[in-house]
Amino acid sequence: MMNQGLRFGKYLRGALIVGDYAMLNLAYLLTACLTMPHSEFASRWVWLIINISFVIPEALFSGIHLKRIHYADKVVSEALKSTVVQVAVMLTLLYVFDIFNVSLKAGCFFAFVLFIFLSFWWVASRKLLKRIRRMGFNYRRTVIVGGGTTGREVIRELASDEGYGYRVMGVFDDNVSRLNEVEGVPVKGGLEEVADFVKENKIDIIYYTLDADDEGLMRKLILVAEEEGADLIYVPKFHRILSGQFEPSSVGNLPALANITSPLNQGRNRLVKRVLDLAVSIPFLIVSPIIFIPIAVAIKLTSPGPVFFRQKRTGIHGSEFVCYKFRTMKVNADSDRLQATQDDPRKTRLGDFLRRSSLDELPQFFNVLLGNMSVVGPRPHMVSHTEEYSALIDKYMVRHSVKPGITGWAQVNGYRGGTKHLWQMEKRVEYDVWYIRNWHVFLDIKIIFLTIFNAFRGEKNAY
């Protein structure tokens, strides 16, 4: 039977690129209509320049349509980059052709609308494609070379969502015991049979998961992949030990992989994150008296003690800083040692409400302004807990490679509040480390919106 994935896919990228241009022209039409008659934006020359300019961002970023495993926040990030390139090329061409009567307001509005339209189209089209792939179209035939742990993990990833559009046609290995552990996909036989199977079944992707020291087999598979137009992807075994993000590098002429702990190691990303922190915290602090004054008065009227609670927490690279919160407990000697529990007798009645609504965390926007916290990041722990858990949990100190946050990826996934059991803290650390290694600005924005949504919905672990 003909591979429906290939038959459908021949026209797919072209159709999606047509959709990109449709979004571009919709953005142009909306801008032109809303800025008339005070702007020359509604000019056929401007329209022509905008469409010509779009050739470059399409060449750079339309490959996103071919990526099958790509998350929505990263798609939006790519849409922003495409918009920035589009505007830069457009402005260059307007200058070259001496067109100076396009207003700044119209240009900014066009860029904003284009970003919104592209983001919507790219996310929506990916969801549509996933539905089409679940119907049996636009799939890619794959084989797995190696039935060991790595091969089985590749199978699990490919099969985790039918919308990715992968069909594992067979697993090959000379080790029969390893093949016996493979479940859910066909087992085809030994390594000598891979090449013929690829040729006969029009395989699109070969995943090689064995050691790379079998040069004869590797050369044979590389040749077959080149002859048949298939992709050969090597999945090294060491990913289970070094599970971070790797970037291609080299040592002279030798290929190498460089382990990147976090995108925030790069100065430009730290700058982007700091700009986002200030863009969120400064407006909030300007209007904060509307919220802070009633809460402060209520705290003073309901229990003796200070309005704010100050506590030393562990910050970036293990440094200590003073974290600010609204006081939610009676003044006690155990505040720097014991976590709050659900029915903690130390909590005041008002304090219980402030904790459940997360209002007690709002003074930490001052920490963000001072630069020792971020809006989004791993939650800062008490110094005593850092000392305790760093000895018990692997990678615990990795969470301190970035600034701590008011909210975080672990919190919006339900891992907040007290940690009665070690596994709860282990899961929190797991989510924190994932966030650090996969950071980008739209992930922060996503977490901020999820935090606001959860605050209104209420969280059972907030106490």
Side-chain angles (χ1 to χ4, degrees):
M1 183 177 68
M2 180 183 289
N3 185 339
Q4 295 185 62
L6 290 176
R7 185 175 63 188
F8 184 81
K10 283 192 301 182
Y11 312 103
L12 182 59
R13 187 176 184 184
L16 292 171
I17 290 176
V18 170
D20 294 346
Y21 271 92
M23 295 301 107
L24 174 76
N25 284 276
L26 282 174
Y28 168 77
L29 286 172
L30 181 60
T31 305
C33 290
L34 293 179
T35 58
M36 288 175 64
H38 306 292
S39 171
E40 292 298 322
F41 204 83
S43 157
R44 58 184 169 185
W45 286 109
V46 173
W47 171 81
L48 184 61
I49 285 173
I50 284 175
N51 279 270
I52 293 173
S53 302
F54 201 56
V55 171
I56 293 179
E58 277 296 282
L60 294 174
F61 299 103
S62 65
I64 194 171
H65 295 310
L66 303 179
K67 294 183 178 180
R68 292 168 179 258
I69 305 178
H70 212 50
Y71 300 106
D73 39 17
K74 291 189 177 180
V75 172
V76 174
S77 176
E78 293 295 292
L80 177 61
K81 295 175 185 176
S82 179
T83 302
V84 170
V85 173
Q86 163 68 15
V87 171
V89 178
M90 180 185 75
L91 291 175
T92 302
L93 291 180
L94 289 174
Y95 176 79
V96 168
F97 288 100
D98 292 329
I99 301 175
F100 299 109
N101 51 2
V102 175
S103 70
L104 177 63
K105 181 180 178 181
C108 291
F109 183 79
F110 167 73
F112 174 74
V113 174
L114 177 61
F115 166 63
I116 297 298
F117 282 12
L118 274 184
S119 298
F120 172 79
W121 163 240
W122 286 1
V123 171
S125 63
R126 294 183 71 79
K127 290 186 179 296
L128 177 62
L129 279 175
K130 292 181 79 170
R131 178 169 294 185
I132 290 171
R133 288 164 186 154
R134 291 189 184 105
M135 295 168 60
F137 297 92
N138 190 231
Y139 60 84
R140 303 202 75 190
R141 295 171 179 259
T142 67
V143 294
I144 312 296
V145 179
T149 304
T150 304
R152 295 195 297 274
E153 288 181 3
V154 171
I155 293 170
R156 279 194 293 272
E157 289 290 336
L158 298 183
S160 62
D161 188 337
E162 289 185 357
Y164 293 154
Y166 292 101
R167 289 192 181 181
V168 180
M169 307 300 294
V171 182
F172 296 83
D173 201 318
D174 287 337
N175 189 319
V176 178
S177 63
R178 286 202 295 249
L179 288 178
N180 290 336
E181 296 181 26
V182 176
E183 298 178 354
V185 296
V187 174
K188 293 300 181 181
L191 299 176
E192 290 300 319
E193 303 172 46
V194 179
D196 291 337
F197 187 86
V198 169
K199 293 177 181 178
E200 294 169 4
N201 293 274
K202 300 187 182 301
I203 297 300
D204 301 305
I205 309 175
I206 306 166
Y207 286 97
Y208 187 92
T209 68
L210 298 172
D211 290 328
D213 52 4
D214 189 340
E215 293 187 14
L217 177 62
M218 282 291 288
R219 292 180 186 277
K220 186 176 182 180
L221 291 180
I222 290 172
L223 179 61
V224 169
E226 291 174 348
E227 289 177 345
E228 300 299 317
D231 296 326
L232 176 63
I233 300 176
Y234 172 50
V235 184
K237 286 185 176 182
F238 64 75
H239 76 281
R240 295 189 300 278
I241 301 172
L242 303 174
S243 56
Q245 302 293 318
F246 287 84
E247 290 186 352
S249 181
S250 64
V251 180
N253 293 322
L254 299 176
L257 294 173
N259 184 29
I260 306 300
T261 304
S262 172
L264 289 170
N265 287 351
Q266 299 176 351
R268 66 176 182 272
N269 289 332
R270 290 197 299 272
L271 176 61
V272 169
K273 187 169 177 65
R274 183 59 179 161
V275 169
L276 177 64
D277 286 342
L278 295 176
V280 173
S281 60
I282 291 176
F284 174 79
L285 290 173
I286 290 173
V287 301
S288 64
I290 300 172
I291 304 171
F292 281 21
I293 292 175
I295 293 176
V297 171
I299 291 173
K300 294 299 288 186
L301 291 176
T302 55
S303 65
V307 170
F308 295 105
F309 173 64
R310 300 171 176 84
Q311 186 179 62
K312 281 192 175 182
R313 299 284 181 99
T314 306
I316 187 170
H317 304 314
S319 61
E320 296 180 8
F321 71 99
V322 177
C323 181
Y324 298 99
K325 298 179 67 174
F326 281 121
R327 182 174 59 83
T328 58
M329 292 184 175
K330 303 166 188 174
V331 177
N332 66 92
D334 296 322
S335 57
D336 291 330
R337 186 175 59 87
L338 298 179
Q339 280 185 320
T341 58
Q342 190 163 6
D343 300 312
D344 200 316
R346 296 176 296 166
K347 289 190 292 185
T348 64
R349 182 176 297 181
L350 176 64
D352 190 51
F353 165 74
L354 293 177
R355 283 178 172 271
R356 282 187 285 105
S357 60
S358 299
L359 291 173
D360 63 318
E361 310 284 0
L362 295 182
Q364 288 164 31
F365 280 101
F366 286 110
N367 288 111
V368 175
L369 188 63
L370 293 171
N372 44 40
M373 284 185 69
S374 181
V375 175
V376 179
R379 284 292 297 150
H381 290 166
M382 293 184 291
V383 175
S384 60
H385 280 177
T386 300
E387 295 171 353
E388 176 186 355
Y389 288 116
S390 61
L392 297 174
I393 300 176
D394 186 31
K395 297 180 183 176
Y396 180 86
M397 293 305 294
V398 174
R399 67 193 304 277
H400 299 107
S401 61
V402 300
K403 289 180 183 179
I406 298 174
T407 184
W409 186 236
Q411 281 64 44
V412 297
N413 281 280
Y415 292 97
R416 59 166 298 173
T419 50
K420 298 178 183 177
H421 307 287
L422 183 63
W423 69 266
Q424 293 172 308
M425 184 61 78
E426 288 174 336
K427 290 298 293 184
R428 185 178 293 181
V429 171
E430 179 184 326
Y431 277 89
D432 287 339
V433 172
W434 184 92
Y435 165 80
I436 291 167
R437 288 176 171 163
N438 294 276
W439 178 89
H440 55 88
V441 67
F442 287 102
L443 179 58
D444 274 6
I445 294 171
K446 175 181 178 179
I447 292 171
I448 290 170
F449 279 106
L450 287 174
T451 300
I452 296 170
F453 175 76
N454 290 342
F456 282 104
R457 185 182 62 176
E459 297 180 86
K460 64 179 182 178
N461 292 328
Y463 52 78

